[in-house]
Amino acid sequence: MAMMKMKIYGYRLRALLSTSLSSSPFHSVPSRTFSSSSFENVGFIGLGKMGSRMANNLLKAGYKMTVHDVNCNVMKKYSDMGVSTKQTPFEVAEASDVVITMLPSSSHVLNVYNGPDGLLQGGDLLTPQLFIDSSTIDPQTSRKLAVSVSNCILKEKK
């Protein structure tokens, strides 16, 4: 059953990354329009049991990836596979158009986004155009993150 869910989530994630979001009914900020070509570099943080499977599916689909995890052995495994690894979430953000997080708890998510070397520590200017959190967290944490991200401004793409 869990493997079936992973396949469904992987399919939905690939569909999200390969379609235009500008026509989405949930997309309410006119300055943030995306196309599939916007997502050339995918950052992935959290390479545990579920995250590693999601990341591997994206690699198999041909996405250029940059990854981070607190487990050095996992980082070495991805580095040995030729995947770019970074020491902090912020470094992943700098190298990515979209960042996907798959973390074990709300406290981990808050630290990865708002911690000292977190995804949002680039000041008010963000390189990633989209953040996707797939962690199992409480709704209050999701709302806090939404506010934090919406207070930032996207860097212009070169």
Side-chain angles (χ1 to χ4, degrees):
M1 183 71 165
M3 186 58 79
M4 186 173 151
K5 285 184 180 179
M6 287 298 295
K7 287 182 182 180
I8 292 169
Y9 291 133
Y11 172 76
R12 289 180 182 162
L13 184 57
R14 281 192 303 276
L16 175 65
L17 291 175
S18 64
T19 59
S20 173
L21 297 179
S22 60
S23 61
S24 170
F26 302 107
H27 184 72
S28 61
V29 181
S31 63
R32 292 186 181 190
T33 56
F34 309 112
S35 69
S36 60
S37 64
S38 298
F39 303 132
E40 296 171 5
N41 301 303
V42 177
F44 204 101
I45 300 173
L47 300 166
K49 286 186 179 191
M50 291 180 13
S52 62
R53 290 180 178 143
M54 292 171 68
N56 290 342
N57 285 335
L58 290 170
L59 286 169
K60 287 177 192 173
Y63 287 95
K64 179 181 174 194
M65 294 194 51
T66 302
V67 300
H68 171 75
D69 195 90
V70 295
N71 184 329
C72 295
N73 294 329
V74 172
M75 293 277 283
K76 181 169 178 5
K77 174 185 164 191
Y78 278 87
S79 178
D80 290 347
M81 291 179 356
V83 176
S84 174
T85 59
K86 299 294 182 182
Q87 295 301 309
T88 67
F90 179 70
E91 291 173 350
V92 171
E94 288 182 312
S96 305
D97 300 315
V98 58
V99 175
I100 302 167
T101 51
M102 180 55 126
L103 302 161
S105 72
S106 295
S107 63
H108 291 97
V109 172
L110 288 172
N111 187 50
V112 163
Y113 277 83
N114 296 321
D117 293 316
L119 294 168
L120 304 180
Q121 292 310 308
D124 292 334
L125 294 176
L126 298 179
T127 301
Q129 298 175 18
L130 179 64
F131 292 94
I132 301 171
D133 182 57
S134 298
S135 308
T136 304
I137 59 174
D138 60 89
Q140 294 83 2
T141 301
S142 293
R143 288 184 195 107
K144 285 179 192 175
L145 289 178
V147 169
S148 295
V149 170
S150 66
N151 286 332
C152 298
I153 300 168
L154 293 175
K155 283 185 185 176
E156 289 296 320
K157 226 180 163 179
K158 294 179 182 178

